[in-house]
Amino acid sequence: MHQASKIICRNLERSISAKQQLLEDTQMQQEFSKAVDLILQSYQSGGRLYLAGNGGSAADAQHLAAEFVCRLSKDRASIPAEALTTDSSILTAIGNDYGYDVVFSRQLEGKLTANDVFLGITTSGNSPNIVKAVEACKEKQVPSIIFTGHGGGEVRSLCDVCVIAPGELTSQIQEVHLVLEHTLCECVEAALFNFKLDLGSSTSDQPLSLKRAA
Ligand SMILES: O=C(CO)[C@@H](O)[C@H](O)[C@H](O)[C@H](O)COP(=O)(O)O
Ligand SMILES: [Zn+2]
């Protein structure tokens, strides 16, 4: 067997295992539902969603913002969302003049208004710029949601809603985050635009894994 075949099988197994753990974790699913509700409330009150993360999670923040602003899979009006990771002039100026730990909080200080909401994505839960972004939200009395891993890290006790993805490795945690991000957009747009959700076989409150076993 080619080395690459072995590695893809190992990685698929790890990814499935992390997702399986979330499938069985009703408490985390409830926490995720709170994140959906907070974002929905913000949009229904005329607010907007700001997102941030580092590395692969910066890409996630941009990916999700694109889906809100453009679309996920159904045609609808644009939903306002902005990733704080895209303007190289702003990022380099803040990083250079004040430090990388405030690249997101400084932007939030200037942008946040009463009905907004923030989603930070950090696999460790310890990235200082995300911690400071959450603190900036607190200052402005704007709710903050964190998608994280590894038990939640430092942000866990600071944010309003903390969705902790299972997984040992950063990459596994990010793969769970991507499912959460697509689901978040699907739930919010369905509620805002009255889309009928295709729930497949997952129509009850019972986790899919338990239904299969029954
Ligand atoms: O995408 C990956 C690894 O899969 C990396 O770029 C990763 O996102 C970076 O190391 C980040 O700096 C990690 O930050 P965080 O998730 O701990 O906040
Ligand atoms: Zn990556």
Side-chain angles (χ1 to χ4, degrees):
M1 197 192 227
H2 193 288
Q3 179 92 329
S5 299
K6 285 190 187 156
I7 297 174
I8 183 77
C9 290
R10 182 201 67 191
N11 289 351
L12 285 168
E13 280 163 12
R14 284 178 175 166
S15 192
I16 290 165
S17 154
K19 287 164 187 161
Q20 184 70 34
Q21 286 174 59
L22 185 57
L23 193 56
E24 288 163 16
D25 187 345
T26 46
Q27 206 188 322
M28 239 356 105
Q29 292 166 17
Q30 277 168 21
E31 198 66 9
F32 174 74
S33 305
K34 287 187 203 163
V36 171
D37 289 344
L38 268 184
I39 292 172
L40 200 51
Q41 266 169 29
S42 163
Y43 283 135
Q44 284 166 337
S45 330
R48 50 196 302 132
L49 171 66
Y50 292 101
L51 305 107
N54 294 282
S57 303
D60 277 11
Q62 291 163 212
H63 181 162
L64 187 53
E67 269 149 11
F68 276 117
V69 171
C70 181
R71 66 169 185 170
L72 178 62
S73 54
K74 292 182 178 160
D75 288 326
R76 49 146 170 89
S78 179
I79 303 173
E82 184 182 336
L84 304 174
T85 48
T86 59
D87 189 322
S88 56
S89 299
I90 290 177
L91 293 169
T92 55
I94 301 173
N96 200 34
D97 295 0
Y98 295 116
Y100 190 65
D101 56 332
V102 295
V103 287
F104 302 136
S105 57
R106 177 75 182 172
Q107 293 186 69
L108 290 171
E109 280 165 27
K111 287 175 192 278
L112 286 181
T113 59
N115 296 316
D116 295 338
V117 60
F118 172 72
L119 171 60
I121 308 167
T122 168
T123 60
S124 62
N126 293 326
S127 288
N129 54 11
I130 298 292
V131 172
K132 285 208 157 52
V134 169
E135 287 168 352
C137 291
K138 270 207 175 344
E139 281 278 307
K140 296 264 183 184
Q141 296 180 321
V142 159
S144 58
I145 300 160
I146 295 290
F147 285 177
T148 184
H150 296 302
E154 200 183 334
V155 280
R156 184 179 185 174
S157 60
L158 301 171
C159 63
D160 296 288
V161 171
C162 186
V163 183
I164 304 172
E168 297 289 313
L169 304 171
T170 301
S171 52
Q172 278 174 277
I173 296 166
Q174 288 172 330
E175 285 157 20
V176 175
H177 283 175
L178 187 56
V179 178
L180 294 172
E181 288 146 13
H182 280 141
T183 309
L184 176 69
C185 188
E186 185 180 352
C187 293
V188 170
E189 68 171 19
L192 288 177
F193 295 94
N194 265 325
F195 290 153
K196 203 165 167 279
L197 282 171
D198 175 9
L199 293 176
S201 58
S202 190
T203 46
S204 79
D205 286 342
Q206 206 179 26
L208 204 57
S209 55
L210 297 181
K211 273 203 309 186
R212 265 205 231 100

